Amino acid sequence: VQLQASGGGLVQAGGSLRLSCAHSGRTFGVYAVGWFRQTPGKEREFLAAISQSGAGTQYADSVKGRFTISRDRTSVYLQMNSLKPEDTAVYSCAAGGNYREFVNFDYDFWGQGTQVTVSS
């Protein structure tokens, strides 16, 4: 399973970005998908996860109310609103079997990340 995150960039504080996690194969729908971020010197942080059907979602408290995870047949998205400078990080997506386990960093596949930089 190959995952690729995209959509990052430079944005001012208060702005929005929409990240995408794409999968090249036809079996993307069998995986739950989660988003994470990491900055140098800090541990990887769980952000959000979504079930295979899209009906189940889970968010970290740090992004609840600002970030929204969604999916369609080929991609999973992370809509990020009201961005803050502390949201600056490399954002990556992962795939696995149970979206509830992503908060425990329990997943099977990891994708390349995309840089998000929020200026003050």
Side-chain angles (χ1 to χ4, degrees):
V1 175
Q2 292 186 335
L3 305 172
Q4 178 67 56
S6 62
L10 175 64
V11 63
Q12 289 188 334
S16 298
L17 280 175
R18 189 194 195 203
L19 305 183
S20 298
C21 175
H23 170 235
S24 59
R26 296 184 176 182
T27 59
F28 201 31
V30 305
Y31 297 105
V33 176
W35 283 98
F36 298 80
R37 67 186 178 191
Q38 191 164 18
T39 56
K42 292 188 178 181
E43 294 184 350
R44 183 175 297 170
E45 180 185 7
F46 164 78
L47 300 175
I50 190 167
S51 66
Q52 287 83 340
S53 69
T57 58
Q58 188 172 7
Y59 295 90
D61 288 342
S62 60
V63 303
K64 198 174 295 183
R66 298 191 300 126
F67 292 9
T68 302
I69 191 170
S70 62
R71 70 185 301 164
D72 58 25
R73 292 182 61 188
T74 60
S75 299
V76 172
Y77 307 98
L78 188 68
Q79 177 67 43
M80 306 188 297
N81 298 327
S82 302
L83 284 164
K84 307 172 183 178
E86 51 264 43
D87 293 318
T88 295
V90 174
Y91 286 67
S92 302
C93 54
N98 187 342
Y99 78 101
R100 294 185 179 91
E101 293 300 324
F102 282 81
V103 68
N104 299 318
F105 303 95
D106 184 358
Y107 43 80
D108 300 315
F109 306 101
W110 182 255
Q112 283 192 317
T114 184
Q115 175 71 45
V116 171
T117 303
V118 184
S119 62
S120 56

